[in-house]
Amino acid sequence: KKRGGPMVFNTLTQNKVEFVPKDGNTVKWYICGPTVYDSSHLGHARTYVAFDVIRRILSDYFGYDIFCVMNVTDIDDKIILRARRNHLLKQYRSSQPPIDQVISDAKTELQKAFAKHDGKAAALEKEIGQEEGSANKKALQAELETLAFKRTALVNHQATLDGSSASSDVSRLIDSVGDLIANGLDADKGSEVTDQQIFRDHAAFYENEYLEDMATLGVSLPDVLTRVTEFVPQVVDYIQKIMDNGFAYEAQGSVYFDIRAYTNSHSYRKLSFTAAAIKAAFDEGEGALATGEGKRCEADFALWKCSKAGEPSWDSPWGQGRPGWHIECSVMASDLLGDTLDVHGGGIDLCFPHHDNELAQAEAYYGHQQWVNYFLHSGHLNIGFQKMSKSLKNFFTIREIFKGGSTMRVSETETVVLPSYTPRQLRLLFMMYQWDEPMYFAKDTLDVACGKEKSFKDFFGSVQAMSREHQPTLVSRPQGWGELERTLYGKIQDCQGAVHEALCDNFNTPVVLSKLSELVSACNIYMNDASVENKQFLLINKAAVYITRIFRLLGIDDATTTYAFTAKSGGDDELLPETLDLFCGFRDVIRTGCRSKMSSEEIGKLARKVRDEELVKLKGKNESKKQASFDQVLDAFDKWSSSVLEASDRGDPASSYLKMCDDVRDYVLPDLGVRLEDKQEGYVWKLDDPEVLKKERDEKAKAASLAQKKKIENKLTKAQTDLDKAKASSTPPAEVFKAQTDKYSQFDANGVPTHTAAGEELNKSARKNVEKEFKKKDTDFTKFQETLAKNPNYLQDLEKDIQDMTKMLGDM
């Protein structure tokens, strides 16, 4: 059956369509890169990993020749404002202002911020009240909720300032409220910042940080990286041609795209949003420094912005200015890729206005109706079911995730501190979601990704161990297949077919991972089946090599080892496995021997033989090889076997040897990058990252500690309940009821109440209930007396147990 090519979801058509490049096998692809004004965040990671995966699939799986161009936006209002404010705040800090001035300056700006915020919120509330469309109203309400979180940040600033005094640390206070002070400084002195290198240095710093982050994530570099600062002459020429074609006009030193003229002959907003979202997106696209003076229509957008004092500028026929945001991509993509792009990619948030305006500009320039054939948009990234936003306090940079220690909100009142995560775990997480749909980033989903990584890693480690056992003796092993092997081979074929279909179906990586997981499970069942006498390594190897190929295709693993997720042993490929086999085998013999009553003397003889014969041979090989990791394992083997010999000389009991076996597995070998797993019969060792093994050990110890704590808490609760019950049962029931003078006044010979406190005889129903209660208390009293007869210190023992467990919990 011939396998077909990929179907992709094209935002232009809003459905999946067959992928057919214009020029045969060549794919011309433009990706909207970052605006480098701040550190790269998880949204960047999600988008660029998604396009990296698609690019790898198209190139390395389907065989397309991709020419990939990506821009870096290094002229933008956000960059200008951030660079200017950082520069002015640095000068302010260097002037060493007194604490009272810092407090005063910050409070002044805080009052302005409150007024601006509250005015915007009031306007939004009014607009929501007038809005009839449910979709538009929902978008406006979401914007209002974001404003509410922003106000919380202002309230926190207020608390910080209210808590400051003459004794406060000036530098720390500036760190806390510097954004407020910087706003005021920019308003007063921003126009005085005229050195353009300030803006370039700011952009270059974050561009370099972005490239480092992408390299860490395993994102391939584009074939061409463009910066708008290096394309300004081309931008000017491009704008001039759009004007000559009748689709743009100059107004007060700026040039605007003429939407009315354009829509007379072209379709505009091919990538549309709801009306409520359009206004906010349009304003953000124009930039915080835009004035809009001289525009003929509100929807017209800037191609060239007249620069004001304190803004970078370049020469143009319309005076000193700078490119608008949207024009840069049209110009740079056209310059390198021409009048038709096969693929244009970017985040879904760029649909409007950026990508709609890009299309309009290019089609106005070329005079045709279609500049891009396939528009690919990565889905939104939500943090805990909210869109990621600094104002919502759910904003994470890529580096914060790798470092660990960030606090994530999991509900209105609950937070969790994230541990550190690896680039591979983050990449796996992204591929667990379809690239063009929303994904939800949370600790739970991260834990699932980590669990998936571990299951694959364990599988490859087991295959590697099987390889060490089978390959040297392959010639002597039966290779015939039975029903189990034929069934497993069928599952390998099914997996390959399903993975191909998933890759063809809009690059469906969640299905790919699911199918590979199913194949791993099938292989594990086969490898662990004790009834299979002659396990066929070559069949397992076929599955493992295929899964490795797909992982490397997706960029999940970039090693050169035979199998994915398996650590290299440097130059120790020959000696390290031999040493670990002897080390772990010696340990296994002792462990098994202790359980079958092997004497300490027999263990000593075995240890001497290993040291005098095997270790001597290995040390001789080490003299000629001098290999680092082998040397470390050999040294650990030497020390551990010596400890076993010393224990034998002392005549230690079996429990001592078993503890030594556990310690070498749990502490010694993990520090050397060796994972040792005890099986029902025998053992398996696997190479791994020492830091990963230490982290697993720490997490296991933490889980054990929490389980122990829970166990003690349960025992404490039971002991307290028993004590309360014992104390309640220690008094004869007749005395208990006679003490209740507020309820009863007369009793029968046994002490059962007969009359109420008012002297009225209990009715039949009340008498029945009180007799039932008396009988129960009498039974409890009798049992308590029997307990005391067996243990006169029963109450004191319970109290001591409670005291001891309370102390244990306190110590934990």
Side-chain angles (χ1 to χ4, degrees):
K1 181 181 178 181
K2 185 178 178 181
R3 290 180 170 180
M7 300 284 287
V8 302
F9 185 87
N10 188 352
T11 314
L12 284 165
T13 61
Q14 288 295 303
N15 64 352
K16 293 178 189 176
V17 293
E18 185 180 2
F19 183 69
V20 182
K22 181 183 178 183
D23 298 323
N25 208 47
T26 300
V27 177
K28 295 188 290 184
W29 188 346
Y30 183 81
I31 299 176
C32 274
T35 299
V36 284
Y37 74 98
D38 203 347
S39 296
S40 301
H41 51 67
L42 281 175
H44 292 121
R46 200 270 165 113
T47 290
Y48 296 115
V49 166
F51 290 133
D52 180 64
V53 171
I54 295 172
R55 186 178 159 198
R56 287 169 182 264
I57 294 170
L58 287 175
S59 174
D60 300 341
Y61 190 83
F62 291 108
Y64 290 105
D65 181 14
I66 297 176
F67 181 45
C68 180
V69 178
M70 189 185 80
N71 77 300
V72 170
T73 297
D74 60 347
I75 303 174
D76 181 80
D77 288 15
K78 292 177 181 177
I79 295 173
I80 296 168
L81 287 169
R82 185 66 63 87
R84 216 162 59 186
R85 289 169 179 172
N86 286 356
H87 173 72
L88 293 170
L89 188 63
K90 184 178 179 181
Q91 289 183 333
Y92 180 85
R93 192 189 292 270
S94 298
S95 70
Q96 298 182 336
I99 188 69
D100 57 344
Q101 181 185 338
V102 175
I103 294 172
S104 175
D105 291 344
K107 284 186 174 180
T108 298
E109 294 306 316
L110 183 61
Q111 289 176 354
K112 294 178 184 177
F114 269 124
K116 182 179 179 180
H117 172 279
D118 293 345
K120 189 173 182 180
L124 265 176
E125 288 173 348
K126 182 178 179 181
E127 191 174 353
I128 289 171
Q130 297 171 345
E131 180 59 57
E132 295 181 358
S134 59
N136 295 342
K137 181 173 286 189
K138 186 177 180 180
L140 291 169
Q141 287 171 335
E143 191 176 347
L144 187 62
E145 289 174 7
T146 300
L147 271 180
F149 280 103
K150 287 182 177 180
R151 198 177 200 285
T152 301
L154 297 179
V155 171
N156 291 337
H157 279 322
Q158 181 73 65
T160 298
L161 292 171
D162 290 344
S164 301
S165 64
S167 61
S168 298
D169 184 283
V170 175
S171 181
R172 287 186 179 179
L173 183 59
I174 294 176
D175 288 341
S176 297
V177 297
D179 55 333
L180 292 173
I181 297 171
N183 288 342
L185 292 171
D186 189 64
D188 294 340
K189 300 180 180 181
S191 60
E192 300 172 13
V193 180
T194 56
D195 183 359
Q196 293 205 171
Q197 194 60 40
I198 291 172
F199 305 108
R200 177 61 203 141
D201 288 347
H202 182 93
F205 176 86
Y206 286 110
E207 178 187 336
N208 183 64
E209 194 176 272
Y210 163 81
L211 292 172
E212 289 178 350
D213 289 343
M214 292 303 106
T216 303
L217 282 166
V219 173
S220 305
L221 287 168
D223 298 311
V224 184
L225 187 69
T226 63
R227 301 185 188 97
V228 66
T229 52
E230 298 169 358
F231 276 79
V232 174
Q234 293 94 318
V235 169
V236 171
D237 291 343
Y238 203 93
I239 293 173
Q240 186 61 61
K241 184 175 179 182
I242 294 175
M243 294 179 74
D244 294 343
N245 289 346
F247 297 116
Y249 59 90
E250 185 271 339
Q252 300 181 31
S254 295
V255 179
Y256 294 99
F257 192 84
D258 192 334
I259 291 294
R260 288 174 178 167
Y262 180 75
T263 53
N264 286 333
S265 56
H266 291 77
S267 174
Y268 179 58
R269 280 190 55 218
K270 297 178 180 180
L271 312 161
S272 60
F273 264 46
T274 61
I278 285 174
K279 181 63 170 67
F282 180 86
D283 291 344
E284 184 176 356
E286 290 299 273
L289 299 173
T291 63
E293 294 176 359
K295 287 206 300 184
R296 296 174 184 172
C297 172
E298 186 180 3
D300 294 349
F301 56 89
L303 302 179
W304 184 262
K305 297 180 178 181
C306 176
S307 290
K308 301 185 290 295
E311 299 175 10
S313 61
W314 287 262
D315 293 333
S316 81
W318 319 288
Q320 289 286 300
R322 54 194 169 86
W325 177 31
H326 314 303
I327 194 66
E328 62 175 86
C329 289
S330 297
V331 172
M332 292 185 286
S334 296
D335 185 80
L336 288 157
L337 301 174
D339 63 356
T340 304
L341 277 60
D342 291 302
V343 179
H344 192 319
I348 189 68
D349 54 309
L350 298 180
C351 274
F352 181 85
H354 188 53
H355 288 162
D356 269 326
N357 290 350
E358 271 190 65
L359 289 171
Q361 291 162 159
E363 290 164 9
Y365 176 85
Y366 287 112
H368 60 33
Q369 297 291 330
Q370 187 162 331
W371 182 50
V372 175
N373 289 337
Y374 298 89
F375 239 121
L376 309 185
H377 287 102
S378 59
H380 276 304
L381 176 70
N382 298 290
I383 307 289
F385 297 92
Q386 290 178 316
K387 183 179 176 181
M388 186 179 71
S389 168
K390 283 186 176 180
S391 59
L392 297 178
K393 294 185 178 181
N394 62 357
F395 180 93
F396 300 100
T397 67
I398 296 170
R399 297 184 177 202
E400 285 173 335
I401 295 300
F402 293 155
K403 182 181 179 182
S406 297
T407 301
M408 173 183 282
R409 290 167 59 108
V410 294
S411 70
E412 289 296 321
T413 58
E414 187 180 358
T415 60
V416 62
V417 177
L418 298 177
S420 61
Y421 294 96
T422 66
R424 182 164 67 198
Q425 289 164 348
L426 199 57
R427 199 172 175 103
L428 269 170
L429 172 65
F430 293 146
M431 278 184 265
M432 285 164 48
Y433 289 85
Q434 182 62 7
W435 66 274
D436 57 347
E437 295 177 2
M439 75 160 284
Y440 299 95
F441 182 92
K443 186 174 185 303
D444 289 347
T445 55
L446 278 163
D447 289 344
V448 171
C450 292
K452 194 174 287 290
E453 179 197 43
K454 187 175 186 306
S455 67
F456 283 122
K457 186 186 289 186
D458 287 346
F459 166 69
F460 287 121
S462 296
V463 176
Q464 194 174 43
M466 192 178 185
S467 172
R468 290 193 300 269
E469 179 185 355
H470 283 245
Q471 285 212 57
T473 59
L474 204 59
V475 69
S476 62
R477 289 178 178 270
Q479 295 299 309
W481 278 15
E483 189 61 35
L484 288 176
E485 286 75 23
R486 296 180 192 281
T487 300
L488 181 57
Y489 176 60
K491 290 182 178 180
I492 294 173
Q493 288 184 305
D494 290 344
C495 178
Q496 290 173 329
V499 166
H500 176 78
E501 289 183 11
L503 293 176
C504 287
D505 184 18
N506 197 31
F507 320 109
N508 195 328
T509 56
V511 169
V512 171
L513 292 178
S514 174
K515 294 301 177 182
L516 295 180
S517 293
E518 290 175 9
L519 180 56
V520 164
S521 296
C523 289
N524 284 335
I525 290 171
Y526 175 79
M527 286 190 289
N528 294 324
D529 190 342
S531 68
V532 182
E533 186 176 349
N534 296 309
K535 293 186 173 67
Q536 297 304 314
F537 163 70
L538 295 180
L539 182 59
I540 293 296
N541 179 69
K542 179 177 179 62
V545 168
Y546 171 71
I547 297 170
T548 296
R549 177 198 164 203
I550 299 301
F551 277 179
R552 288 176 182 163
L553 167 74
L554 301 175
I556 298 173
D557 180 87
D558 59 0
T560 56
T561 52
T562 304
Y563 309 119
F565 296 10
T566 51
K568 292 182 180 180
S569 53
D572 308 347
D573 290 343
E574 178 184 346
L575 297 181
L576 185 60
E578 180 184 354
T579 307
L580 280 169
D581 282 340
L582 285 169
F583 190 171
C584 298
F586 173 53
R587 170 190 173 274
D588 192 58
V589 169
I590 292 175
R591 185 167 171 268
T592 305
C594 286
R595 292 177 172 178
S596 60
K597 311 301 182 183
M598 180 186 286
S599 69
S600 193
E601 183 180 355
E602 289 174 309
I603 291 174
K605 288 179 181 180
L606 181 62
R608 286 187 180 87
K609 182 178 180 181
V610 166
R611 291 180 59 77
D612 294 344
E613 297 178 12
E614 306 297 346
L615 268 171
V616 168
K617 289 180 186 178
L618 289 170
K619 288 178 180 179
K621 293 178 180 180
N622 187 39
E623 288 300 316
S624 61
K625 296 282 185 178
K626 289 294 180 185
Q627 296 169 346
S629 53
F630 164 65
D631 186 60
Q632 292 174 337
V633 172
L634 185 62
D635 182 58
F637 189 5
D638 190 7
K639 290 179 179 177
W640 193 74
S641 61
S642 177
S643 299
V644 171
L645 194 56
E646 291 171 5
S648 171
D649 292 341
R650 292 193 302 267
D652 284 2
S655 59
S656 175
Y657 295 105
L658 289 174
K659 185 178 186 306
M660 291 172 67
C661 289
D662 288 345
D663 288 346
V664 77
R665 178 196 62 204
D666 297 337
Y667 298 98
V668 177
L669 291 176
D671 289 347
L672 300 177
V674 180
R675 181 195 301 276
L676 178 59
E677 299 174 356
D678 289 314
K679 302 292 185 179
Q680 191 170 359
E681 292 184 9
Y683 60 91
V684 172
W685 63 261
K686 305 171 184 178
L687 298 179
D688 209 330
D689 183 346
E691 292 304 315
V692 170
L693 295 176
K694 291 174 187 175
K695 184 178 178 181
E696 286 181 6
R697 181 176 66 205
D698 292 344
E699 289 175 350
K700 185 177 179 181
K702 183 179 179 182
S705 177
L706 290 174
Q708 179 65 13
K709 183 178 180 181
K710 183 67 176 176
K711 186 177 180 180
I712 295 172
E713 287 173 342
N714 291 339
K715 284 185 175 181
L716 178 60
T717 300
K718 184 178 184 304
Q720 189 63 60
T721 301
D722 290 345
L723 180 62
D724 293 342
K725 184 178 179 180
K727 287 182 176 180
S729 303
S730 62
T731 306
E735 293 182 18
V736 172
F737 283 103
K738 287 180 180 179
Q740 297 176 21
T741 55
D742 58 326
K743 291 183 178 181
Y744 310 111
S745 59
Q746 296 182 42
F747 308 87
D748 66 12
N750 294 321
V752 178
T754 57
H755 290 72
T756 66
E760 297 176 356
E761 186 175 356
L762 295 177
N763 61 36
K764 187 175 181 180
S765 175
R767 174 77 181 191
K768 186 176 181 181
N769 288 335
V770 80
E771 286 176 347
K772 184 177 180 181
E773 185 180 356
F774 187 95
K775 184 177 181 181
K776 183 181 181 306
K777 288 184 179 297
D778 189 50
T779 300
D780 291 342
F781 176 73
T782 302
K783 288 182 179 179
F784 176 69
Q785 295 302 313
E786 291 172 352
T787 301
L788 282 183
K790 296 177 183 177
N791 180 12
N793 297 319
Y794 176 68
L795 288 176
Q796 293 89 331
D797 289 347
L798 274 177
E799 290 172 343
K800 186 177 185 305
D801 288 344
I802 291 170
Q803 185 179 6
D804 291 344
M805 286 187 283
T806 302
K807 184 178 184 304
M808 288 173 66
L809 289 174
D811 293 341
M812 295 176 75

